[in-house]
Amino acid sequence: GAGVSQSPSNKVTEKGKDVELRCDPISGHTALYWYRQSLGQGLEFLIYFQGNSAPDKSGLPSDRFSAERTGGSVSTLTIQRTQQEDSAVYLCASSLGSNGQGSIQYFGAGTRLSVL
Amino acid sequence: KNQVEQSPQSLIILEGKNCTLQCNYTVSPFSNLRWYKQDTGRGPVSLTIMTFSENTKSNGRYTATLDADTKQSSLHITASQLSDSASYICVVSYVSGGGADGLTFGKGTHLIIQP
């Protein structure tokens, strides 16, 4: 596709349920990033993939959060036993490379998660 | 601790006027600095990216400056348009060694252009 695609665009769930968020990066982009943006806050880094491996998982806030990437393309961010504080916009970005000039990140429109 | 501070937090100006947004950072070792524009309900879009040796870079009516000595950057918007209403995020990249450059995000400046 022409850009980074995220689905669903909006997700409302009940506290305690599991949710899966999907990201389709730009074709050919080897690096993929997940961020969280809470209301009035800056972007919070969650996890970075290079290919299918995740060299940096340092931003995952708890063990309820996990992510995987398959085929060097699609990535899924899973949140188990959701809590109200998980409510945020989850943004995915991809880039051609991961360092220097090649690392301009292209963002999807995000998934707005609301946990009731 | 790596930090990026942006000011002002929010700004309202009249259409056609110019404005300047500020970004101060304490990030090292510095790799590059990017400005992103984020429209409401959309993902951020890259405006400019500057390395250590670049002092200024333009993208249409947007001009970014970088002073690596004082660790300050500014984004100047000329002849503002209603479509410039958005959040502007300053992102500083640092060399993390093996793997991707680390990124430190500012919280953004929320700009509103009034007709």
Side-chain angles (χ1 to χ4, degrees):
Chain A
V4 177
S5 177
Q6 291 188 245
S7 60
S9 55
N10 285 283
K11 177 71 177 179
V12 180
T13 190
E14 292 180 341
K15 178 181 173 182
K17 300 289 187 184
D18 298 351
V19 294
E20 280 190 356
L21 312 180
R22 177 187 168 105
C23 173
D24 282 273
I26 292 173
S27 178
H29 280 194
T30 60
L32 186 147
Y33 309 78
W34 282 99
Y35 299 92
R36 179 168 68 176
Q37 189 172 37
S38 301
L39 188 64
Q41 299 297 313
L43 284 163
E44 176 188 1
F45 168 77
L46 297 178
I47 188 170
Y48 150 69
F49 285 93
Q50 179 61 43
N52 290 335
S53 64
D56 190 349
K57 304 179 183 178
S58 62
L60 294 178
S62 76
D63 59 8
R64 295 186 296 103
F65 287 72
S66 64
E68 65 175 14
R69 189 179 185 195
T70 56
S73 181
V74 173
S75 176
T76 303
L77 177 69
T78 301
I79 309 173
Q80 296 178 308
R81 305 181 302 283
T82 53
Q83 303 294 313
Q84 289 181 333
E85 61 263 28
D86 299 334
S87 297
V89 175
Y90 289 82
L91 287 162
C92 174
S94 70
S95 66
L96 196 58
S98 57
N99 302 92
Q101 293 280 0
S103 60
I104 292 177
Q105 295 183 19
Y106 297 84
F107 284 80
T111 293
R112 181 174 298 278
L113 175 66
S114 300
V115 181
L116 304 178
Chain B
K1 180 182 177 182
N2 288 335
Q3 283 188 317
V4 175
E5 299 287 339
Q6 290 189 245
S7 61
Q9 190 174 31
S10 61
L11 180 63
I12 302 173
I13 64 171
L14 293 176
E15 183 180 11
K17 298 296 186 182
N18 303 337
C19 66
T20 300
L21 315 181
Q22 298 290 342
C23 173
N24 297 340
Y25 61 92
T26 57
V27 175
S28 66
F30 177 87
S31 178
N32 58 66
L33 185 145
R34 315 119 185 255
W35 283 93
Y36 283 86
K37 177 187 178 190
Q38 185 176 22
D39 293 313
T40 301
R42 308 289 293 274
V45 174
S46 178
L47 293 176
T48 64
I49 179 169
M50 289 184 292
T51 60
F52 184 88
S53 60
E54 294 175 296
N55 301 118
T56 185
K57 184 165 281 190
S58 292
N59 178 358
R61 292 179 297 101
Y62 301 99
T63 299
T65 65
L66 173 64
D67 185 334
D69 292 330
T70 61
K71 298 187 177 181
Q72 296 180 326
S73 175
S74 66
L75 180 69
H76 186 74
I77 304 175
T78 304
S80 61
Q81 300 177 359
L82 296 178
S83 59
D84 293 332
S85 295
S87 288
Y88 291 83
I89 304 170
C90 176
V91 183
V92 182
S93 172
Y94 60 91
V95 180
S96 64
D101 285 352
L103 296 178
T104 305
F105 290 83
K107 292 188 176 182
T109 292
H110 187 53
L111 176 64
I112 298 173
I113 310 298
Q114 288 188 334

